[in-house]
Amino acid sequence: MSFNLKLSAFALVSCFVIACGQGDKEGSSDQNAINSNTTSVPTDAAQTTAATPTIYDIWVLDSINKKVPDSNFFSHGTPYFDFNEAKKTVSGHTGCNGLTGKLNVQGEKLIFDSLVVTAQTCKNKDFEKKLVSGFKSGRTTYKIANGNLHLNVGAGTNLIFRKIRR
């Protein structure tokens, strides 16, 4: 009887060892699967963050002809624009009045259509006049460099904007 007990104990221990060994192999293959998935995520994330810069975002004015405007220059806040790709529109604020309209991007050229500008009284309308006139002229061009949006609205007016969110 002690032989049968020893044989049963041996068989039980053998099964346990074999089962544990297979569990390690399964666990390691699962671990490899997890590791391979984990390593592919940063690669994909790096590819998406290195996407081509686009005008379709919200931009706030930083400088006019390479000069930072005085904080009192705009009576109703710093100009900003939201270029919306899905709606093909532009909306925002000129520093004096609100602005909305349709937008068509052709290469580096921006074509604005159906622009509507509110009519508030402002202390300095020169900037707004040049901006709106440039938008309506059909000669406004843009480029994105170093994460900034550079707009040339004509009449010697070059504007630099920075992205604020989206």
Side-chain angles (χ1 to χ4, degrees):
M1 203 182 236
S2 74
F3 176 74
N4 285 339
L5 185 59
K6 286 181 183 179
L7 184 61
S8 296
F10 177 76
L12 183 62
V13 169
S14 297
C15 289
F16 180 77
V17 170
I18 292 170
C20 287
Q22 287 179 350
D24 286 346
K25 288 180 186 174
E26 289 172 4
S28 65
S29 66
D30 287 345
Q31 188 62 36
N32 289 339
I34 291 169
N35 287 342
S36 67
N37 287 341
T38 304
T39 54
S40 69
V41 171
T43 304
D44 294 342
Q47 290 172 354
T48 33
T49 56
T52 305
T54 177
I55 192 170
Y56 298 111
D57 227 313
I58 301 174
W59 302 89
V60 65
L61 182 68
D62 262 355
S63 69
I64 303 168
N65 297 327
K66 298 184 181 182
K67 295 179 185 172
V68 177
D70 181 307
S71 62
N72 296 318
F73 188 77
F74 300 107
S75 55
H76 293 83
T78 305
Y80 68 90
F81 297 104
D82 180 354
F83 297 101
N84 188 303
E85 182 175 24
K87 296 179 182 178
K88 306 262 187 260
T89 60
V90 60
S91 61
H93 199 271
T94 66
C96 178
N97 286 289
L99 175 142
T100 63
K102 294 181 181 178
L103 172 68
N104 185 0
V105 178
Q106 297 176 353
E108 293 181 350
K109 195 173 191 178
L110 301 177
I111 309 295
F112 299 92
D113 190 25
S114 305
L115 281 178
V116 176
V117 182
T118 59
Q120 290 184 294
T121 304
C122 303
K123 61 182 175 184
N124 182 349
K125 283 215 171 223
D126 291 338
F127 172 79
E128 181 181 74
K129 285 180 184 176
K130 286 181 184 178
L131 178 71
V132 173
S133 173
F135 281 4
K136 288 181 177 180
S137 74
R139 295 188 306 262
T140 300
T141 58
Y142 84 97
K143 71 177 179 177
I144 298 175
N146 299 321
N148 292 319
L149 170 64
H150 298 254
L151 281 183
N152 181 333
V153 295
T157 305
N158 296 298
L159 311 172
I160 299 176
F161 292 79
R162 66 182 156 80
K163 191 181 301 189
I164 57 172
R165 64 181 165 90
R166 188 171 326 240

